[in-house]
Every structure is written in structure tokens, then in C-alpha cells.
Amino acid sequence: MFTASGFLSRSRWSLLATTTLLLVIAALMGCGAPTAALPPAAGSGASEWDEVLAAARREGTISVTGPPGADTREAFTEAFERKYPGITVDYASQPGSAVAPKLIAERGSGQYLLDVIINGTTTQLALARDEILDPIDRYLVGPEAAQSAKWFGGKFEFSDNAGKYNLVFGHVVKSPLAYDPKVVSPGEIKSYNDLLNPKWKGKIAMYDPRGAGAGFATTTFLYTYPALGKDYLRQLFSQDIAFSRDDRQLIDWIARGQYAIAIAPSERMYTEFSSRGIEVGMMGAEDLAEGSYLTAGVAAVGVINNPPHPNATKVYLDYLLSREAQLEFSQATGYVSRRTDVPTDHLPGYVIPKQG
């Protein structure tokens, strides 16, 4: 947990704790170009990787589900297709909470259509529990897979305890709030407790916490923060909060002046709106007394078992781990790559974790 004082600690929630908290939330709310030859992969000859690449081109496509956003879609598709002509990325934009039900329905009818999921850890941990994810190391066979020393801590990071299903490639200090600068004055909101002011009743929006996503993660933070907790959440949810499961809608509500404050806003959408000159304010962890938390956000990847395009999956993951792809991802989403040779000078300081 990252606070205004710089304190950082990390914990992993069990599925039981996740389920319990969701029930608590529900109860409280009762009161959302040709490429050059590649170098050999570690432990294999150049011919083996060439065979994978040739097989991937025969497959011709890879099916990826990932977070919404035009810039995000471009980062996860276009540069890869330029580097590996002949392999098309079939990219479906959807929040993590929508992935599991769709997958379960497809499998119930004997369909195996998806190769790779890029999204949050909550959904992917559930998929791993239900044995829908493959161990990812069997697909990490390209040259970039041998570069784990270039990643934070000198290794790849995983969100699952087994350390083999859900690879985390980026992170961000979560932006607590977005706001309408025409309505909210600088420094007016200094604590989450300020959101309980009657003047904000009916003027707050939030990403729906009743499913996987930033709303759930933020509610977890508020629930476990010693000075806030369950009683605080009860008061907060009585402020007639509007809930959405659409990241774009949440920021759009603020940009249009429909709501004054948004809880758990998307850094990706903020980056996209800002690049188009749309004025929205964004707070960092140090702007609030309680701070915020460090999260993988949507920067985690897993492989669906029995993928229809296994070789294209290997090529895609190898590209995703490259410096080139990680910089594209960071610039598009406003996240910090865990790859240490990816610059952060294009990012606002409040999203970058502090050393130590």
C-alpha cells in the first residue's frame, strides 16, 4: 500500500477474502514491416525459434482480449502487426469482469476461441483457480524471454502464488480521484473523508465495485485502511454515487460536467482524453492524506489453455515483453512498465512508484 508518507507494503488477497468483500460491498450499497532474422531464444537454437515464427505465420492470427481504449488497442495490435506481417491480432476490447462469463459460455459449447488475456489480476486469478489458464512459461520461448534480468527485481513478476499463470508487466500508483476543475478547487479535497461533505451528494461517480476492476480494488483499499473501513464505506455509498462499468464513461461524465468527482478513474482514459485537449483534473496519491495503493491495473497477461493459435501466442508474448512494446504500452496507458530500460519521462510523477 502506497501512502502519502511513502510507505509501501504488499499483500495478496485469497479468493475467500475477495468473495467476502464483494458480499460486504453489495450489502453496503443496499443502503463499474518484414522483420530481420531473430536471435536465438535462450536454451534453443535459432532454427527452433524460426520454426515457431513460421508456424505462427501459418496460423495467421492471434486472438487477444484486452482493456478498452483506442490508444490501448493500437499499442497492443498495430506495432506487432508491422513487425510480424502475416500475423493479424484479433483484439476484443472488454473489461476483465466481462471475460470470465464469456469464456465459460464458450467452453460450455465446446468452443476454444481465445489465446491471450491482457487485463487485471482479479479476473485472471479466478481463471487460474478454475484451471482456464495455462502455465505461461511454456509460451515464453523467444529471445525476449531470456531477458528477465532487465525487469524490476531481475525477474518476471506473477500475481498468483504459484508464479506461473499471471505475469504482471506493468504497474501504477493508483490515481484516487478525477475531478472537474471548474467545480472542484485545487486543494479542496485533501482526504477521502472530504467526499462525505453534503455538497458532493449526487455529484460523485465511481467505477462499479461489485465486480473486478478499479472500483473493487479501491473499495478494498478503503475497507482495509485503518482510519476508514466499513463505517466510512457505508457513509460514502449514501452519497447517491453513480456507478459505471465503463472507464470511458466515467471520465466523460467529469469532462462534460455531469459529475464533479470520479472515484477510481482510469489512467488510460485520462491519458487519452488529455492527449485530445479535454480538460479533466487528476489527483495523485500525495494529494490525499490516506494516499493510494500500488496496482498492476490492466497490465497483466495470461494464456487461455488450449489456445487455438499456440505459436502465434509465443510470438505475441515475446513481442509484448520487448522494450519496444513496453514503451508503446506505457505511452498509451500512462502506466509504468516493470521493464527497467523503459523510460518514464513521459509519465506524470504521481503514477510512478517511489524507490524503496
Side-chain angles (χ1 to χ4, degrees):
M1 185 165 60
F2 178 85
T3 69
S5 62
F7 173 72
L8 179 68
S9 67
R10 301 178 61 192
S11 64
R12 289 177 171 151
W13 282 75
S14 67
L15 289 168
L16 177 59
T18 298
T19 303
T20 300
L21 184 55
L22 282 170
L23 290 173
V24 170
I25 294 169
L28 289 172
M29 290 177 65
C31 38
T35 56
L38 294 170
S44 64
S47 60
E48 293 180 51
W49 180 242
D50 288 341
E51 288 173 5
V52 170
L53 184 56
R57 286 185 169 133
R58 288 194 296 271
E59 291 170 354
T61 190
I62 180 170
S63 179
V64 179
T65 179
D71 292 345
T72 304
R73 170 188 283 273
E74 180 179 341
F76 287 135
T77 59
E78 295 185 9
F80 173 83
E81 292 174 342
R82 288 195 300 269
K83 185 169 184 177
Y84 296 103
I87 309 175
T88 300
V89 181
D90 180 10
Y91 185 90
S93 298
Q94 53 189 335
S97 57
V99 175
K102 185 172 184 292
L103 273 174
I104 292 170
E106 289 173 351
R107 284 166 181 258
S109 60
Q111 295 179 301
Y112 292 81
L113 308 177
L114 186 63
D115 296 297
V116 172
I117 174 173
I118 300 173
N119 227 297
T121 60
T122 302
T123 295
Q124 296 194 50
L125 289 174
L127 293 176
R129 175 202 62 192
D130 294 339
E131 299 182 346
I132 295 178
L133 294 186
D134 263 349
I136 201 170
D137 59 351
R138 66 183 62 170
Y139 299 93
L140 301 180
V141 298
E144 294 298 338
Q147 304 296 323
S148 60
K150 293 185 177 180
W151 290 74
F152 188 81
K155 62 179 181 178
F156 295 131
E157 175 80 0
F158 294 84
S159 75
D160 60 287
N161 289 334
K164 60 181 181 180
Y165 293 106
N166 186 217
L167 192 155
V168 176
F169 57 86
H171 54 203
V172 65
V173 177
K174 182 62 188 173
S175 301
L177 306 172
Y179 63 94
D180 182 351
K182 298 185 295 296
V183 178
V184 181
S185 303
E188 185 173 2
I189 306 295
K190 298 179 180 179
S191 165
Y192 281 103
N193 284 302
D194 292 333
L195 300 179
L196 304 182
N197 190 317
K199 71 179 289 185
W200 302 125
K201 188 164 187 174
K203 298 179 181 180
I204 301 174
M206 181 179 187
Y207 194 93
D208 197 328
R210 291 169 291 188
F216 173 72
T218 296
T219 304
T220 302
F221 171 76
L222 298 175
Y223 184 78
T224 57
Y225 194 87
L228 298 173
K230 183 176 180 179
D231 288 341
Y232 171 79
L233 287 173
R234 181 181 290 110
Q235 296 176 71
L236 180 65
F237 291 146
S238 70
Q239 286 284 70
D240 295 343
I241 295 177
F243 297 98
S244 175
R245 295 189 179 183
D246 186 327
D247 281 323
R248 178 181 295 277
Q249 182 181 56
L250 202 62
I251 294 293
D252 189 61
W253 279 346
I254 301 300
R256 293 177 182 273
Q258 190 168 345
Y259 293 92
I261 300 167
I263 302 173
S266 166
E267 291 81 9
R268 293 176 294 110
M269 288 296 108
Y270 171 73
T271 299
E272 185 174 317
F273 273 59
S274 296
S275 70
R276 287 157 172 72
I278 300 174
E279 187 178 7
V280 174
M282 191 73 110
M283 292 186 183
E286 295 182 355
D287 293 324
L288 296 181
E290 298 84 3
S292 188
Y293 55 93
L294 184 66
T295 177
V298 297
V301 61
V303 176
I304 307 302
N305 57 22
N306 298 317
H309 312 102
N311 292 289
T313 295
K314 294 172 183 177
V315 176
Y316 187 82
L317 289 177
D318 201 64
Y319 171 74
L320 183 63
L321 296 176
S322 70
R323 183 183 184 278
E324 172 189 357
Q326 287 295 301
L327 181 57
E328 288 260 358
F329 150 77
S330 180
Q331 291 173 334
T333 63
Y335 278 45
V336 181
S337 172
R338 290 185 59 84
R339 182 164 170 145
T340 57
D341 59 354
V342 176
T344 59
D345 54 3
H346 57 282
L347 297 172
Y350 59 79
V351 304
I352 302 173
K354 289 180 170 53
Q355 292 294 325

